[in-house]
Amino acid sequence: MSLKAIVTGGGSGIGLATATLLAGRGMRVACLDLHPPGEPFIGVKVDVTDDAAVRQAVEEAAERLGGIDILINNAGIGAQGTVEDNGDDEWRKVFDVNVFGLVRVTRAALPHLRRSEHAAIVNTCSIAATAGLPSRALYSATKGAVQSLTLAMAADHIHDGIRVNCVNPGTADTPWVARLLDAADDPEAERAALNARQPMGRLVSAEEVAAAIAYLAGPEAGATTGTALAVDGGMQGLRLRPHNQGR
C-alpha cells in the first residue's frame, strides 16, 4: 500500500524534512510551496493566500499522486513583536498564511481525503499556542487558532473517517530561526538563550518534528485524533529547578 501525501511548505525546514521522511517510508509525496523541491517529490508551486491557485494546485497534486490520503498543513510564516508592534497589514498577512492558508488547502483536499481509507490531516502548530512567549503576540495568536481549529476539524470530520491532529514544536533549528539569529545584535547569545529556554538545553531539530508528524499521519496512529503532540524539549510540561538548587 503506497499512501499519497501533500505537504505544504515542503520546500525547506520542517516541511522538507517531513516530505523526505514520508517518501523514505514509501509514500508518494507532493510538496506545495512558493519554491517547491524537485525529485523525488512532485513539486507544485502555489501561494496559499490565493484560493483559486490553491484549489488548482491541490487538484494537480491529487491527479499526479492518484489521490490524497494525507495532508500536512505546514506552510507558515513568523512574526516578532508585542501586540502593539505589528500593524494591521502584518496581522492580516500572517493570519492569511498561517490560518486561512490552512483552511484553503484543507477545504480543497477534503473531497479527496473522504475517499481514502487512511485519511489523516496533521497541522504544524507551535509551543506558542500553549505557552506565553515574549514578543510573539501575532504569531502566538495564529498558532492558538491552529490548535483550536485542529480540535474543531477533528470533531467535524471524524465521521468522514478523517483523523486530524497537530504537532506543537518548540523552537526548532529551521531557516526562519536562523534568519532571526542572524538579525540579532549578538547571534551567539541569542542562540544560547533559545537553547536555555527549552529544558533539554537545545533547539528541536526539523527531523524530530517530522518524525512526530509522520507518526500522526500514518496508519499506526489510527486511534489518535484531536491531539496536540508537543515536540518541545519539555518546554510546555516541565518545571525544572535551576541547576544550582540541586534536586
Side-chain angles (χ1 to χ4, degrees), residues 52 127 139 184:
I127 183 66
Y139 182 72

Side-chain angles (χ1 to χ4, degrees), residues 45-85:
K45 183 175 181 178
V46 68
D47 180 347
V48 297
T49 67
D50 183 335
D51 186 57
V54 165
R55 291 178 185 274
Q56 182 176 348
V58 169
E59 288 306 310
E60 178 184 342
E63 182 176 350
R64 295 174 68 182
L65 289 169
I68 303 171
D69 300 296
I70 293 165
L71 170 60
I72 312 299
N73 281 310
N74 174 76
I77 57 176
Q80 290 181 281
T82 70
V83 74
E84 62 184 346
D85 290 335

Side-chain angles (χ1 to χ4, degrees), residues 159-175:
H159 295 304
D160 291 329
I162 303 171
R163 298 182 300 104
V164 187
N165 297 285
C166 68
V167 169
N168 290 13
T171 304
D173 199 355
T174 63

